[in-house]
mmCIF file of all heavy atoms in Angstrom:
data_model
loop_
_atom_site.group_PDB
_atom_site.id
_atom_site.type_symbol
_atom_site.label_atom_id
_atom_site.label_comp_id
_atom_site.label_asym_id
_atom_site.label_seq_id
_atom_site.Cartn_x
_atom_site.Cartn_y
_atom_site.Cartn_z
ATOM 1 N N ILE D 1 45.332 187.499 136.865
ATOM 2 C CA ILE D 1 46.195 186.326 136.721
ATOM 3 C C ILE D 1 45.793 185.285 137.755
ATOM 4 O O ILE D 1 45.666 185.596 138.945
ATOM 5 C CB ILE D 1 47.675 186.711 136.905
ATOM 6 C CG1 ILE D 1 48.098 187.744 135.856
ATOM 7 C CG2 ILE D 1 48.559 185.470 136.832
ATOM 8 C CD1 ILE D 1 47.968 187.291 134.417
ATOM 9 N N LEU D 2 45.563 184.057 137.294
ATOM 10 C CA LEU D 2 45.215 182.960 138.211
ATOM 11 C C LEU D 2 46.492 182.423 138.846
ATOM 12 O O LEU D 2 47.475 182.161 138.145
ATOM 13 C CB LEU D 2 44.491 181.851 137.451
ATOM 14 C CG LEU D 2 43.999 180.674 138.292
ATOM 15 C CD1 LEU D 2 42.838 181.090 139.187
ATOM 16 C CD2 LEU D 2 43.597 179.504 137.405
ATOM 17 N N ILE D 3 46.478 182.255 140.158
ATOM 18 C CA ILE D 3 47.643 181.750 140.886
ATOM 19 C C ILE D 3 47.386 180.309 141.307
ATOM 20 O O ILE D 3 46.368 179.997 141.929
ATOM 21 C CB ILE D 3 47.942 182.618 142.127
ATOM 22 C CG1 ILE D 3 48.088 184.099 141.726
ATOM 23 C CG2 ILE D 3 49.204 182.111 142.818
ATOM 24 C CD1 ILE D 3 49.196 184.392 140.737
ATOM 25 N N GLY D 4 48.314 179.430 140.946
ATOM 26 C CA GLY D 4 48.211 178.023 141.306
ATOM 27 C C GLY D 4 49.394 177.586 142.153
ATOM 28 O O GLY D 4 50.380 178.308 142.318
ATOM 29 N N ALA D 5 49.318 176.384 142.676
ATOM 30 C CA ALA D 5 50.347 175.842 143.558
ATOM 31 C C ALA D 5 51.394 175.051 142.777
ATOM 32 O O ALA D 5 51.090 174.438 141.746
ATOM 33 C CB ALA D 5 49.707 174.950 144.621
ATOM 34 N N HIS D 6 52.621 175.068 143.295
ATOM 35 C CA HIS D 6 53.733 174.336 142.670
ATOM 36 C C HIS D 6 54.599 173.717 143.761
ATOM 37 O O HIS D 6 55.825 173.669 143.639
ATOM 38 C CB HIS D 6 54.540 175.321 141.820
ATOM 39 C CG HIS D 6 55.390 174.694 140.749
ATOM 40 N ND1 HIS D 6 55.019 173.560 140.058
ATOM 41 C CD2 HIS D 6 56.594 175.080 140.230
ATOM 42 C CE1 HIS D 6 55.956 173.272 139.174
ATOM 43 N NE2 HIS D 6 56.926 174.174 139.256
ATOM 44 N N THR D 7 53.920 173.268 144.841
ATOM 45 C CA THR D 7 54.521 172.747 146.072
ATOM 46 C C THR D 7 55.189 173.877 146.854
ATOM 47 O O THR D 7 55.135 175.029 146.456
ATOM 48 C CB THR D 7 55.542 171.608 145.827
ATOM 49 O OG1 THR D 7 56.730 172.125 145.232
ATOM 50 C CG2 THR D 7 54.937 170.510 144.972
ATOM 51 N N GLN D 8 55.811 173.502 147.971
ATOM 52 C CA GLN D 8 56.525 174.497 148.779
ATOM 53 C C GLN D 8 57.944 174.733 148.269
ATOM 54 O O GLN D 8 58.365 175.870 148.095
ATOM 55 C CB GLN D 8 56.612 174.034 150.237
ATOM 56 C CG GLN D 8 55.308 174.051 151.008
ATOM 57 C CD GLN D 8 55.506 173.515 152.411
ATOM 58 O OE1 GLN D 8 55.718 172.315 152.594
ATOM 59 N NE2 GLN D 8 55.477 174.384 153.397
ATOM 60 N N THR D 9 58.681 173.638 148.023
ATOM 61 C CA THR D 9 60.127 173.757 147.776
ATOM 62 C C THR D 9 60.565 173.211 146.426
ATOM 63 O O THR D 9 61.755 173.065 146.178
ATOM 64 C CB THR D 9 60.915 173.039 148.881
ATOM 65 O OG1 THR D 9 60.598 171.632 148.857
ATOM 66 C CG2 THR D 9 60.577 173.605 150.252
ATOM 67 N N HIS D 10 59.612 172.889 145.537
ATOM 68 C CA HIS D 10 59.900 172.408 144.189
ATOM 69 C C HIS D 10 60.676 171.078 144.181
ATOM 70 O O HIS D 10 61.654 170.921 143.429
ATOM 71 C CB HIS D 10 60.661 173.473 143.396
ATOM 72 C CG HIS D 10 60.516 173.331 141.907
ATOM 73 N ND1 HIS D 10 61.145 172.333 141.183
ATOM 74 C CD2 HIS D 10 59.830 174.058 141.001
ATOM 75 C CE1 HIS D 10 60.858 172.453 139.897
ATOM 76 N NE2 HIS D 10 60.042 173.498 139.762
ATOM 77 N N PRO D 11 60.267 170.079 144.948
ATOM 78 C CA PRO D 11 60.955 168.789 144.895
ATOM 79 C C PRO D 11 60.414 167.912 143.768
ATOM 80 O O PRO D 11 59.342 168.172 143.209
ATOM 81 C CB PRO D 11 60.610 168.172 146.251
ATOM 82 C CG PRO D 11 59.216 168.667 146.495
ATOM 83 C CD PRO D 11 59.185 170.083 145.944
ATOM 84 N N ASP D 12 61.143 166.871 143.450
ATOM 85 C CA ASP D 12 60.647 165.818 142.563
ATOM 86 C C ASP D 12 59.727 164.941 143.410
ATOM 87 O O ASP D 12 60.182 164.131 144.215
ATOM 88 C CB ASP D 12 61.824 165.008 142.010
ATOM 89 C CG ASP D 12 61.395 163.946 141.012
ATOM 90 O OD1 ASP D 12 60.338 163.312 141.224
ATOM 91 O OD2 ASP D 12 62.116 163.748 140.026
ATOM 92 N N LEU D 13 58.436 165.116 143.253
ATOM 93 C CA LEU D 13 57.476 164.454 144.149
ATOM 94 C C LEU D 13 57.501 162.929 144.014
ATOM 95 O O LEU D 13 57.314 162.217 145.005
ATOM 96 C CB LEU D 13 56.072 164.983 143.887
ATOM 97 C CG LEU D 13 55.806 166.431 144.296
ATOM 98 C CD1 LEU D 13 54.401 166.844 143.883
ATOM 99 C CD2 LEU D 13 55.991 166.632 145.790
ATOM 100 N N ALA D 14 57.702 162.431 142.808
ATOM 101 C CA ALA D 14 57.740 160.975 142.627
ATOM 102 C C ALA D 14 58.926 160.370 143.368
ATOM 103 O O ALA D 14 58.804 159.305 143.998
ATOM 104 C CB ALA D 14 57.786 160.625 141.144
ATOM 105 N N GLU D 15 60.071 161.042 143.320
ATOM 106 C CA GLU D 15 61.240 160.553 144.056
ATOM 107 C C GLU D 15 61.034 160.712 145.561
ATOM 108 O O GLU D 15 61.396 159.835 146.339
ATOM 109 C CB GLU D 15 62.492 161.308 143.606
ATOM 110 C CG GLU D 15 62.986 160.927 142.227
ATOM 111 C CD GLU D 15 63.343 159.449 142.135
ATOM 112 O OE1 GLU D 15 64.018 158.940 143.049
ATOM 113 O OE2 GLU D 15 62.938 158.813 141.142
ATOM 114 N N MET D 16 60.435 161.819 145.970
ATOM 115 C CA MET D 16 60.182 162.047 147.380
ATOM 116 C C MET D 16 59.225 161.006 147.943
ATOM 117 O O MET D 16 59.336 160.600 149.109
ATOM 118 C CB MET D 16 59.623 163.461 147.601
ATOM 119 C CG MET D 16 59.346 163.799 149.047
ATOM 120 S SD MET D 16 58.774 165.501 149.276
ATOM 121 C CE MET D 16 60.341 166.367 149.209
ATOM 122 N N LEU D 17 58.284 160.572 147.119
ATOM 123 C CA LEU D 17 57.322 159.564 147.559
ATOM 124 C C LEU D 17 58.020 158.254 147.935
ATOM 125 O O LEU D 17 57.558 157.520 148.800
ATOM 126 C CB LEU D 17 56.289 159.318 146.456
ATOM 127 C CG LEU D 17 54.969 158.667 146.853
ATOM 128 C CD1 LEU D 17 54.230 159.481 147.912
ATOM 129 C CD2 LEU D 17 54.081 158.485 145.622
ATOM 130 N N LYS D 18 59.162 157.995 147.304
ATOM 131 C CA LYS D 18 59.936 156.787 147.610
ATOM 132 C C LYS D 18 60.771 156.957 148.876
ATOM 133 O O LYS D 18 60.902 156.026 149.674
ATOM 134 C CB LYS D 18 60.871 156.448 146.447
ATOM 135 C CG LYS D 18 60.190 156.173 145.128
ATOM 136 C CD LYS D 18 61.231 155.996 144.033
ATOM 137 C CE LYS D 18 60.607 155.875 142.660
ATOM 138 N NZ LYS D 18 61.637 155.801 141.586
ATOM 139 N N SER D 19 61.343 158.155 149.046
ATOM 140 C CA SER D 19 62.313 158.355 150.131
ATOM 141 C C SER D 19 61.735 159.021 151.377
ATOM 142 O O SER D 19 62.137 158.719 152.497
ATOM 143 C CB SER D 19 63.495 159.182 149.620
ATOM 144 O OG SER D 19 63.042 160.440 149.141
ATOM 145 N N GLU D 20 60.811 159.974 151.175
ATOM 146 C CA GLU D 20 60.209 160.703 152.293
ATOM 147 C C GLU D 20 58.706 160.847 152.073
ATOM 148 O O GLU D 20 58.197 161.955 151.896
ATOM 149 C CB GLU D 20 60.829 162.091 152.431
ATOM 150 C CG GLU D 20 62.317 162.114 152.691
ATOM 151 C CD GLU D 20 62.854 163.524 152.761
ATOM 152 O OE1 GLU D 20 62.843 164.103 153.869
ATOM 153 O OE2 GLU D 20 63.251 164.053 151.705
ATOM 154 N N PRO D 21 57.978 159.750 152.072
ATOM 155 C CA PRO D 21 56.551 159.808 151.725
ATOM 156 C C PRO D 21 55.734 160.720 152.624
ATOM 157 O O PRO D 21 54.750 161.313 152.180
ATOM 158 C CB PRO D 21 56.095 158.345 151.847
ATOM 159 C CG PRO D 21 57.127 157.678 152.699
ATOM 160 C CD PRO D 21 58.412 158.372 152.391
ATOM 161 N N SER D 22 56.140 160.872 153.876
ATOM 162 C CA SER D 22 55.361 161.707 154.788
ATOM 163 C C SER D 22 55.424 163.189 154.408
ATOM 164 O O SER D 22 54.547 163.969 154.794
ATOM 165 C CB SER D 22 55.868 161.528 156.226
ATOM 166 O OG SER D 22 57.225 161.922 156.336
ATOM 167 N N ARG D 23 56.446 163.594 153.661
ATOM 168 C CA ARG D 23 56.603 164.996 153.286
ATOM 169 C C ARG D 23 55.772 165.379 152.067
ATOM 170 O O ARG D 23 55.512 166.565 151.837
ATOM 171 C CB ARG D 23 58.068 165.313 152.993
ATOM 172 C CG ARG D 23 58.932 165.558 154.216
ATOM 173 C CD ARG D 23 60.281 166.093 153.793
ATOM 174 N NE ARG D 23 60.174 167.321 152.985
ATOM 175 C CZ ARG D 23 61.158 167.804 152.236
ATOM 176 N NH1 ARG D 23 62.316 167.163 152.173
ATOM 177 N NH2 ARG D 23 60.993 168.920 151.557
ATOM 178 N N VAL D 24 55.385 164.396 151.266
ATOM 179 C CA VAL D 24 54.765 164.702 149.980
ATOM 180 C C VAL D 24 53.442 165.433 150.153
ATOM 181 O O VAL D 24 53.212 166.486 149.550
ATOM 182 C CB VAL D 24 54.578 163.420 149.149
ATOM 183 C CG1 VAL D 24 53.818 163.729 147.870
ATOM 184 C CG2 VAL D 24 55.929 162.798 148.818
ATOM 185 N N ALA D 25 52.557 164.893 150.978
ATOM 186 C CA ALA D 25 51.256 165.538 151.184
ATOM 187 C C ALA D 25 51.439 166.928 151.770
ATOM 188 O O ALA D 25 50.706 167.859 151.403
ATOM 189 C CB ALA D 25 50.383 164.682 152.101
ATOM 190 N N SER D 26 52.420 167.093 152.650
ATOM 191 C CA SER D 26 52.676 168.398 153.248
ATOM 192 C C SER D 26 53.106 169.411 152.192
ATOM 193 O O SER D 26 52.646 170.559 152.196
ATOM 194 C CB SER D 26 53.759 168.283 154.324
ATOM 195 O OG SER D 26 54.100 169.543 154.834
ATOM 196 N N GLU D 27 53.976 169.004 151.271
ATOM 197 C CA GLU D 27 54.419 169.890 150.188
ATOM 198 C C GLU D 27 53.231 170.366 149.352
ATOM 199 O O GLU D 27 53.157 171.529 148.958
ATOM 200 C CB GLU D 27 55.416 169.161 149.279
ATOM 201 C CG GLU D 27 56.806 169.041 149.838
ATOM 202 C CD GLU D 27 57.660 170.281 149.569
ATOM 203 O OE1 GLU D 27 57.226 171.158 148.797
ATOM 204 O OE2 GLU D 27 58.760 170.364 150.135
ATOM 205 N N ILE D 28 52.317 169.462 149.083
ATOM 206 C CA ILE D 28 51.160 169.777 148.239
ATOM 207 C C ILE D 28 50.158 170.657 148.989
ATOM 208 O O ILE D 28 49.735 171.706 148.491
ATOM 209 C CB ILE D 28 50.486 168.474 147.769
ATOM 210 C CG1 ILE D 28 51.439 167.695 146.841
ATOM 211 C CG2 ILE D 28 49.159 168.757 147.067
ATOM 212 C CD1 ILE D 28 50.991 166.277 146.548
ATOM 213 N N ILE D 29 49.785 170.237 150.182
ATOM 214 C CA ILE D 29 48.729 170.926 150.928
ATOM 215 C C ILE D 29 49.181 172.297 151.423
ATOM 216 O O ILE D 29 48.442 173.278 151.330
ATOM 217 C CB ILE D 29 48.268 170.047 152.109
ATOM 218 C CG1 ILE D 29 47.589 168.770 151.592
ATOM 219 C CG2 ILE D 29 47.309 170.821 153.009
ATOM 220 C CD1 ILE D 29 47.359 167.722 152.659
ATOM 221 N N ALA D 30 50.414 172.377 151.941
ATOM 222 C CA ALA D 30 50.881 173.646 152.503
ATOM 223 C C ALA D 30 50.996 174.732 151.434
ATOM 224 O O ALA D 30 50.716 175.911 151.692
ATOM 225 C CB ALA D 30 52.220 173.445 153.208
ATOM 226 N N SER D 31 51.396 174.339 150.232
ATOM 227 C CA SER D 31 51.480 175.308 149.133
ATOM 228 C C SER D 31 50.098 175.874 148.815
ATOM 229 O O SER D 31 49.921 177.081 148.662
ATOM 230 C CB SER D 31 52.076 174.621 147.898
ATOM 231 O OG SER D 31 52.108 175.485 146.797
ATOM 232 N N LYS D 32 49.127 175.005 148.744
ATOM 233 C CA LYS D 32 47.742 175.426 148.482
ATOM 234 C C LYS D 32 47.246 176.383 149.564
ATOM 235 O O LYS D 32 46.694 177.460 149.273
ATOM 236 C CB LYS D 32 46.846 174.185 148.405
ATOM 237 C CG LYS D 32 45.383 174.437 148.074
ATOM 238 C CD LYS D 32 44.632 173.092 148.024
ATOM 239 C CE LYS D 32 43.262 173.218 147.381
ATOM 240 N NZ LYS D 32 42.322 174.032 148.149
ATOM 241 N N ARG D 33 47.460 176.005 150.808
ATOM 242 C CA ARG D 33 46.950 176.800 151.926
ATOM 243 C C ARG D 33 47.633 178.163 152.029
ATOM 244 O O ARG D 33 46.998 179.158 152.386
ATOM 245 C CB ARG D 33 47.103 176.013 153.230
ATOM 246 C CG ARG D 33 46.144 174.833 153.336
ATOM 247 C CD ARG D 33 46.365 174.053 154.606
ATOM 248 N NE ARG D 33 45.386 172.963 154.742
ATOM 249 C CZ ARG D 33 45.473 172.002 155.640
ATOM 250 N NH1 ARG D 33 46.485 171.998 156.513
ATOM 251 N NH2 ARG D 33 44.549 171.058 155.701
ATOM 252 N N GLU D 34 48.928 178.211 151.713
ATOM 253 C CA GLU D 34 49.648 179.478 151.781
ATOM 254 C C GLU D 34 49.072 180.482 150.780
ATOM 255 O O GLU D 34 48.834 181.645 151.109
ATOM 256 C CB GLU D 34 51.134 179.247 151.497
ATOM 257 C CG GLU D 34 51.971 180.512 151.403
ATOM 258 C CD GLU D 34 52.268 181.153 152.760
ATOM 259 O OE1 GLU D 34 51.856 180.605 153.786
ATOM 260 O OE2 GLU D 34 52.920 182.210 152.761
ATOM 261 N N ILE D 35 48.833 180.030 149.565
ATOM 262 C CA ILE D 35 48.275 180.932 148.549
ATOM 263 C C ILE D 35 46.866 181.355 148.931
ATOM 264 O O ILE D 35 46.499 182.536 148.811
ATOM 265 C CB ILE D 35 48.288 180.258 147.164
ATOM 266 C CG1 ILE D 35 49.718 179.905 146.756
ATOM 267 C CG2 ILE D 35 47.650 181.176 146.114
ATOM 268 C CD1 ILE D 35 49.795 178.981 145.561
ATOM 269 N N GLU D 36 46.070 180.410 149.398
ATOM 270 C CA GLU D 36 44.695 180.739 149.794
ATOM 271 C C GLU D 36 44.679 181.755 150.925
ATOM 272 O O GLU D 36 43.850 182.673 150.939
ATOM 273 C CB GLU D 36 43.963 179.455 150.193
ATOM 274 C CG GLU D 36 43.669 178.547 149.013
ATOM 275 C CD GLU D 36 43.046 177.227 149.408
ATOM 276 O OE1 GLU D 36 43.211 176.803 150.583
ATOM 277 O OE2 GLU D 36 42.390 176.601 148.559
ATOM 278 N N SER D 37 45.609 181.618 151.863
ATOM 279 C CA SER D 37 45.684 182.549 152.985
ATOM 280 C C SER D 37 46.108 183.939 152.519
ATOM 281 O O SER D 37 45.553 184.945 152.964
ATOM 282 C CB SER D 37 46.666 182.018 154.027
ATOM 283 O OG SER D 37 46.879 182.955 155.048
ATOM 284 N N ARG D 38 47.077 183.985 151.605
ATOM 285 C CA ARG D 38 47.593 185.269 151.128
ATOM 286 C C ARG D 38 46.589 186.014 150.259
ATOM 287 O O ARG D 38 46.466 187.242 150.348
ATOM 288 C CB ARG D 38 48.866 185.048 150.325
ATOM 289 C CG ARG D 38 50.031 184.502 151.128
ATOM 290 C CD ARG D 38 50.741 185.591 151.877
ATOM 291 N NE ARG D 38 51.931 185.067 152.574
ATOM 292 C CZ ARG D 38 52.778 185.826 153.233
ATOM 293 N NH1 ARG D 38 52.608 187.143 153.276
ATOM 294 N NH2 ARG D 38 53.811 185.288 153.848
ATOM 295 N N LEU D 39 45.886 185.283 149.402
ATOM 296 C CA LEU D 39 45.018 185.921 148.409
ATOM 297 C C LEU D 39 43.538 185.850 148.764
ATOM 298 O O LEU D 39 42.717 186.495 148.095
ATOM 299 C CB LEU D 39 45.245 185.282 147.037
ATOM 300 C CG LEU D 39 46.683 185.312 146.497
ATOM 301 C CD1 LEU D 39 46.724 184.679 145.110
ATOM 302 C CD2 LEU D 39 47.236 186.721 146.477
ATOM 303 N N ASP D 40 43.202 185.066 149.766
ATOM 304 C CA ASP D 40 41.807 184.908 150.193
ATOM 305 C C ASP D 40 40.922 184.397 149.051
ATOM 306 O O ASP D 40 39.808 184.884 148.838
ATOM 307 C CB ASP D 40 41.249 186.222 150.743
ATOM 308 C CG ASP D 40 39.949 186.027 151.521
ATOM 309 O OD1 ASP D 40 39.759 184.924 152.069
ATOM 310 O OD2 ASP D 40 39.134 186.961 151.569
ATOM 311 N N VAL D 41 41.439 183.425 148.299
ATOM 312 C CA VAL D 41 40.679 182.759 147.238
ATOM 313 C C VAL D 41 41.012 181.273 147.273
ATOM 314 O O VAL D 41 42.102 180.888 147.698
ATOM 315 C CB VAL D 41 41.020 183.319 145.836
ATOM 316 C CG1 VAL D 41 40.526 184.749 145.680
ATOM 317 C CG2 VAL D 41 42.506 183.205 145.538
ATOM 318 N N PRO D 42 40.095 180.415 146.815
ATOM 319 C CA PRO D 42 40.431 179.000 146.729
ATOM 320 C C PRO D 42 41.433 178.742 145.618
ATOM 321 O O PRO D 42 41.432 179.421 144.591
ATOM 322 C CB PRO D 42 39.079 178.328 146.429
ATOM 323 C CG PRO D 42 38.260 179.401 145.788
ATOM 324 C CD PRO D 42 38.696 180.686 146.423
ATOM 325 N N VAL D 43 42.308 177.769 145.831
ATOM 326 C CA VAL D 43 43.291 177.374 144.822
ATOM 327 C C VAL D 43 42.900 175.992 144.314
ATOM 328 O O VAL D 43 42.869 175.026 145.075
ATOM 329 C CB VAL D 43 44.714 177.355 145.416
ATOM 330 C CG1 VAL D 43 45.713 176.769 144.425
ATOM 331 C CG2 VAL D 43 45.126 178.770 145.808
ATOM 332 N N HIS D 44 42.589 175.916 143.025
ATOM 333 C CA HIS D 44 42.049 174.686 142.453
ATOM 334 C C HIS D 44 43.039 173.911 141.591
ATOM 335 O O HIS D 44 42.760 172.766 141.232
ATOM 336 C CB HIS D 44 40.815 174.996 141.606
ATOM 337 C CG HIS D 44 39.644 175.456 142.397
ATOM 338 N ND1 HIS D 44 38.730 176.377 141.918
ATOM 339 C CD2 HIS D 44 39.226 175.122 143.644
ATOM 340 C CE1 HIS D 44 37.801 176.585 142.829
ATOM 341 N NE2 HIS D 44 38.078 175.843 143.881
ATOM 342 N N PHE D 45 44.188 174.520 141.254
ATOM 343 C CA PHE D 45 45.091 173.867 140.308
ATOM 344 C C PHE D 45 46.538 173.922 140.792
ATOM 345 O O PHE D 45 46.949 174.856 141.478
ATOM 346 C CB PHE D 45 44.992 174.537 138.929
ATOM 347 C CG PHE D 45 43.652 174.332 138.279
ATOM 348 C CD1 PHE D 45 42.653 175.272 138.431
ATOM 349 C CD2 PHE D 45 43.396 173.181 137.556
ATOM 350 C CE1 PHE D 45 41.405 175.075 137.861
ATOM 351 C CE2 PHE D 45 42.151 172.974 136.986
ATOM 352 C CZ PHE D 45 41.149 173.921 137.129
#
């Protein structure tokens, strides 16, 4: 089974981009890195 990222906390990213733009990249990147660290594989999707 391929494992992909779905952010850290499942926020509405478009709305977050308006209200808390600094958090958006963190939600995206941290989710990717957590899976990669746990499974030792790159996450592409």
Side-chain angles (χ1 to χ4, degrees):
I1 300 300
L2 183 70
I3 306 300
H6 201 34
T7 71
Q8 289 177 289
T9 63
H10 204 287
D12 183 321
L13 291 176
E15 287 300 314
M16 181 177 280
L17 199 58
K18 300 174 187 176
S19 59
E20 300 178 88
S22 61
R23 280 190 57 197
V24 175
S26 175
E27 283 275 351
I28 294 168
I29 294 168
S31 177
K32 183 180 194 294
R33 289 178 177 169
E34 174 76 2
I35 300 168
E36 290 175 338
S37 173
R38 295 279 184 175
L39 303 182
D40 195 27
V41 292
V43 172
H44 292 147
F45 293 94

